[in-house]
């Protein structure tokens, strides 16, 4: 059994960063839509912002991004400015924002990208546990306390996507088989026209 006091600060906040080639792969895939609005629920220090700039074609795209860590949010804001990406970066919890904006049609996005936090439910602060459960409840999906933060992040991201939009997330391989992702798999199967899983060598 793992205990919270034995885990690193990075692990407790789910801060795992995306390699530039993987971020660029995702940027090229959403570029096919010529998106006007892109959502990044957990932007870290801005790896995907750099990827959008490197791939090109996103000069008129407005990115809305969230990062709970204020220091990382500042880095992401600086990076967006440096690479010429128009980004509104919020140093707040994405799930809370998604719950507040769930019924607003104007908040729908053409694409959702990112690398959501990988944090066990029992390690989440109580407010984030409640918000995770609320996402499941509003979507009328079975909830388990064995879940991980990346699952409600993807569910909430899907709900913010316009019909015909694309969601591209870096997720653990366990999405294919673990029981706590069963609700997510069922929801994606119902809502998506096509699911593509890319398993890189590393």
């Amino acid at each position: 059994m793992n205990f919270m006091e034995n885990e690193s600060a990075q692990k407790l906040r789910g801060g795992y960063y995306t390699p530039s080639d993987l971020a660029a792969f995702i940027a090229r895939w959403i570029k096919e839509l010529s998106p006007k609005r892109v959502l990044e629920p957990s932007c870290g220090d801005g790896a995907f912002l750099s990827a959008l700039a490197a791939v090109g074609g996103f000069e008129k795209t407005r990115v809305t991004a969230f990062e709970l860590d204020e220091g990382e949010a500042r880095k992401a804001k600086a990076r967006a400015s440096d690479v010429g990406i128009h980004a509104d970066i919020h140093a707040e919890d994405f799930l809370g924002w998604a719950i507040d904006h769930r019924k607003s049609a104007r908040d729908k996005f053409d694409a959702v990208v990112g690398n959501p936090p990988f944090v066990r439910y029992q390690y989440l602060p109580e407010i984030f546990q409640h918000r995770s459960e609320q996402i499941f409840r509003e979507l009328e999906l079975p909830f388990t306390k064995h879940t991980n933060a990346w699952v409600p992040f993807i569910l909430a991201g899907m709900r913010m996507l316009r019909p015909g939009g694309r969601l591209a997330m870096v997720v653990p391989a366990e999405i294919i088989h673990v029981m706590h992702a069963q609700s997510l798999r069922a929801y994606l199967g119902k809502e998506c026209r096509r699911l593509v899983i890319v398993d890189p060598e590393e």
Side-chain angles (χ1 to χ4, degrees):
M1 178 178 288
N2 291 331
F3 294 95
M4 202 167 171
E5 57 268 24
N6 296 331
E7 303 292 1
S8 67
Q10 179 188 24
K11 188 167 185 179
L12 288 175
R13 75 176 187 85
Y16 297 95
Y17 292 87
T18 310
S20 59
D21 57 344
L22 182 53
F25 175 87
I26 288 173
R28 287 192 295 272
W29 188 62
I30 67 164
K31 182 181 176 180
E32 295 175 9
L33 293 178
S34 299
K36 294 179 180 178
R37 301 187 71 226
V38 172
L39 171 65
E40 188 178 358
S42 54
C43 68
D45 63 358
F48 278 93
L49 301 173
S50 292
L52 296 178
V55 167
F58 293 92
E59 292 80 11
K60 296 182 179 180
T61 302
R62 172 65 65 178
V63 179
T64 300
F66 293 83
E67 173 52 49
L68 197 58
D69 184 284
E70 291 186 1
E72 295 299 273
R74 284 194 296 270
K75 292 178 187 176
K77 192 171 292 188
R79 184 178 289 199
S81 178
D82 289 344
V83 300
I85 292 293
H86 302 290
D88 298 316
I89 297 170
H90 305 272
E92 63 178 283
D93 174 45
F94 164 68
L95 291 184
W97 180 88
I99 288 168
D100 291 341
H101 292 77
R102 64 190 180 278
K103 295 181 180 178
S104 177
R106 66 183 176 80
D107 287 318
K108 297 297 183 182
F109 293 85
D110 302 303
V112 180
V113 300
N115 187 343
F118 301 162
V119 185
R120 294 180 176 188
Y121 175 87
Q122 63 265 36
Y123 292 169
L124 293 172
E126 188 173 354
I127 183 65
F128 301 144
Q129 291 180 347
H130 291 322
R131 288 170 179 169
S132 296
E133 292 182 41
Q134 186 173 344
I135 294 292
F136 279 81
R137 187 166 60 250
E138 290 177 355
L139 293 173
E140 300 181 347
L141 296 172
F143 175 78
T144 171
K145 291 185 178 181
H146 295 291
T147 195
N148 195 295
W150 61 267
V151 177
F153 261 70
I154 294 177
L155 290 171
M158 273 293 300
R159 192 165 62 173
M160 303 308 297
L161 194 64
R162 69 162 174 79
R166 289 185 174 184
L167 180 141
M169 290 282 193
V170 179
V171 297
E174 65 186 32
I175 189 176
I176 299 171
H177 61 82
V178 293
M179 287 302 297
H180 72 250
Q182 176 57 40
S183 291
L184 173 61
R185 290 194 296 269
Y187 182 73
L188 293 176
K190 178 170 70 80
E191 295 292 326
C192 298
R193 182 174 60 87
R194 183 176 61 171
L195 297 174
V196 179
I197 297 175
V198 179
D199 184 6
E201 291 183 3
E202 298 182 9

